Amino acid sequence: MVAKPEKPIWMSQEDYDRQYGSFNEHVDAVEAKVTPPKPATEPVNNLQTDPGASNDETEVAKPVFKIQKRRHARFDHEERQKQLRAQKIREEQLKKHEIELAANRTINVDQIVRQHYNERTFIANRSRRNLSPIIKLRNFNNAIKYMLIDKYAKGGDVVLELGCGKGGDLRKYGAANISQFIGVDISNASIQEAHKRYQSMKNLSFQVILITGDCFGESLGVAVEPFPDCKFPCDLVSVQFCLHYAFETEEKARRALLNVSKSLKVGGHFFGTLPDSEFIRYKLNKFDKTVEKPSWGNSIYKVTFENNEYAKNDHEFPSPFGQMYTYWLEDAIDNVPEYVVPFETLRSLADEYGLELEMQMPFNKFFVQEIPHWIERFSPRMREGLQRSDGKYGVEGDEKEAASYFYTVFAFRKVRDYIE
């Protein structure tokens, strides 16, 4: 510290204190700033802060506390990861339990399906489609839907899509120049995402109405009643990759077809995509009674039946309804319960509701039939997405069985009104 100068004889004590007292305080503060901090050799717990010290003095200890904070951050991260792993295990156990309950008809499968697609919507928002491990399969499925929609949709049509999901087919219908699209889905998260997608599409010239509702478990009138702009009856009813959920029970299957028939005008078409029951039979026929839970698949997809009733019943389904299996598809479907749709049963029920079968064929056959008319119509990006390693178009490897063989397309035409 710098000593005060001797008081001049001509200066009063009051003036001396006023002048040199503030000077000495300033010097003390400057010395405190330039004094190097003592090395932090003592444990952190021994560091103490003088309540009267200035802010500049207390900053000396900050680097020590920052180091401790990083240590805690690493510990917290490891703890969070541990908790997330435990939570995932609990969720998987709960889902497995719910699937068992669904197989035993203890709970309705709708709640599992709704939860799955709500979660998938959140996951999809955080991922990039072009990095998906099944991007070729997605391109192939989209090509199938382009071909199917173009085959039946025409300018000015009103389209009802049951199980519309996130509105992935809106642009396809835009190419067909329809006048109105009514989309209904059980997942509210999917409907919200469909709204966002529609709002981002500035060049669609048709009206879009998106509704959260149960397409198969209840009358469609309950869901669409608050939307007076819906133009019923429609020219087309589309059901893409979801009709199998209706075959949980005969009641739901009938309700689904009644909703279709009542929504469709005479002469209109009901078309869609669903798992091919004949391919599923072909796979099940390879298992005998000793296999309790028949299962097959590859790196892309997996199908697992919860029982071996098919083999026990002389390789026939004991009932056309409720034949549940869980389906896993990489980056898309996470072991969700689905139901076999015996196509002959679907055809017979559809006939009761005034719907006459016009066309049904596996994806691979339909693709081969239609691709010559489409290869020049597809964008360069779409053509590139469909090109195989041998230069031809379609899917290959593990994706071939998961898409080309596992699914079928169908189309019915309404020939008469259904009288209840």
Side-chain angles (χ1 to χ4, degrees):
M1 177 183 293
V2 180
K4 292 181 181 181
E6 184 178 356
K7 182 175 78 68
I9 193 168
W10 45 262
M11 183 180 289
S12 68
Q13 186 65 42
E14 182 178 353
D15 291 336
Y16 178 86
D17 292 338
R18 185 184 305 115
Q19 180 174 341
Y20 292 104
S22 61
F23 168 79
N24 201 60
E25 290 172 1
H26 174 71
V27 170
D28 289 344
V30 170
E31 288 180 346
K33 288 183 179 179
V34 300
T35 301
K38 294 180 180 180
T41 57
E42 297 180 330
V44 176
N45 292 338
N46 292 336
L47 289 173
Q48 296 182 356
T49 302
D50 182 0
S54 67
N55 291 337
D56 295 320
E57 292 172 331
T58 58
E59 286 179 0
V60 173
K62 282 187 177 181
V64 178
F65 288 113
K66 284 183 179 179
I67 293 174
Q68 289 296 321
K69 188 174 291 185
R70 286 198 294 270
R71 288 174 184 168
H72 284 301
R74 285 197 297 270
F75 173 79
D76 292 343
H77 175 73
E78 292 172 1
E79 187 64 25
R80 282 196 298 271
Q81 292 300 313
K82 183 178 178 181
Q83 291 173 357
L84 288 172
R85 286 193 296 268
Q87 180 181 349
K88 186 175 181 180
I89 292 173
R90 287 194 298 270
E91 289 175 350
E92 288 175 351
Q93 291 173 340
L94 178 60
K95 188 168 187 177
K96 183 178 180 181
H97 178 62
E98 289 177 339
I99 289 172
E100 290 174 352
L101 292 177
N104 296 326
R105 311 290 179 84
T106 306
I107 64 171
N108 191 303
V109 75
D110 289 348
Q111 64 192 65
I112 302 176
V113 174
R114 183 185 294 108
Q115 180 181 350
H116 166 75
Y117 283 104
N118 284 341
E119 292 173 353
R120 280 304 310 176
T121 299
F122 173 73
I123 294 170
N125 286 341
R126 300 177 60 184
S127 63
R128 296 178 62 183
R129 175 186 168 87
N130 62 327
L131 298 180
S132 170
I134 57 168
I135 184 62
K136 290 285 188 178
L137 182 146
R138 292 180 187 273
N139 290 335
F140 181 78
N141 287 348
N142 268 322
I144 292 287
K145 290 191 288 182
Y146 262 115
M147 297 168 178
L148 195 58
I149 289 170
D150 182 76
K151 197 174 187 67
Y152 293 100
K154 57 185 184 297
D157 277 354
V158 174
V159 177
L160 168 66
E161 184 160 287
L162 304 180
C164 68
K166 295 176 286 186
D169 294 336
L170 286 174
R171 199 168 295 284
K172 301 178 183 68
Y173 285 109
N177 199 30
I178 66 171
S179 63
Q180 186 182 77
F181 176 90
I182 306 166
V184 185
D185 198 275
I186 196 171
S187 167
N188 187 55
S190 293
I191 288 295
Q192 291 177 359
E193 192 63 24
H195 272 289
K196 294 178 183 177
R197 173 173 283 174
Y198 170 59
Q199 290 167 1
S200 69
M201 295 178 174
K202 305 300 183 182
N203 57 344
L204 294 184
S205 60
F206 56 94
Q207 184 182 21
V208 174
I209 302 171
L210 298 164
I211 305 167
T212 301
D214 187 349
C215 308
F216 309 141
E218 61 184 27
S219 170
L220 197 60
V222 175
V224 302
E225 185 178 7
F227 300 87
D229 288 343
C230 294
K231 300 175 182 177
F232 288 103
C234 302
D235 301 284
L236 296 174
V237 176
S238 169
V239 181
Q240 305 296 335
F241 299 102
C242 63
L243 187 59
H244 43 270
Y245 297 123
F247 271 65
E248 179 185 5
T249 64
E250 181 177 356
E251 179 184 6
K252 286 182 72 172
R254 287 186 175 277
R255 169 54 65 185
L257 289 170
L258 179 59
N259 283 338
V260 169
S261 183
K262 292 181 72 173
S263 302
L264 196 60
K265 63 175 59 172
V266 173
H269 284 92
F270 164 48
F271 65 94
T273 52
L274 79 164
D276 191 338
S277 60
E278 290 307 305
F279 179 75
I280 293 175
R281 286 177 185 271
Y282 164 76
K283 286 291 190 178
L284 284 176
N285 286 338
K286 296 183 177 183
F287 298 94
D288 58 33
K289 299 177 184 179
T290 61
V291 181
E292 293 185 2
K293 293 187 175 184
S295 180
W296 70 88
N298 54 40
S299 66
I300 296 296
Y301 89 114
K302 185 178 182 181
V303 175
T304 303
F305 278 79
E306 293 301 303
N307 57 58
N308 60 352
E309 294 298 318
Y310 179 84
K312 288 181 178 179
N313 196 47
D314 197 22
H315 290 89
E316 288 292 339
F317 292 114
S319 167
F321 307 100
Q323 302 307 311
M324 194 190 90
Y325 58 89
T326 55
Y327 185 74
W328 172 80
L329 180 64
E330 175 72 18
D331 195 39
I333 302 174
D334 187 17
N335 289 316
V336 174
E338 297 184 356
Y339 297 91
V340 179
V341 182
F343 199 83
E344 183 55 32
T345 302
L346 173 62
R347 189 207 61 76
S348 179
L349 283 178
D351 184 66
E352 290 186 37
Y353 292 94
L355 304 168
E356 184 179 87
L357 180 64
E358 279 199 350
M359 182 270 290
Q360 184 259 327
M361 64 179 70
F363 270 22
N364 60 326
K365 185 177 179 181
F366 183 70
F367 184 83
V368 170
Q369 172 184 291
E370 298 294 327
I371 191 62
H373 314 297
W374 275 88
I375 199 60
E376 296 302 325
R377 296 175 62 183
F378 283 140
S379 66
R381 183 178 178 183
M382 187 68 165
R383 287 199 298 271
E384 182 183 357
L386 289 171
Q387 196 163 30
R388 304 187 317 202
S389 59
D390 62 1
K392 298 180 180 179
Y393 295 98
V395 284
E396 58 187 337
D398 286 352
E399 291 177 302
K400 190 166 188 176
E401 181 171 301
S404 187
Y405 297 154
F406 192 76
Y407 288 98
T408 187
V409 296
F410 67 86
F412 293 86
R413 185 171 63 89
K414 184 173 178 179
V415 294
R416 65 181 183 280
D417 285 320
Y418 173 73
I419 308 299
E420 296 187 62

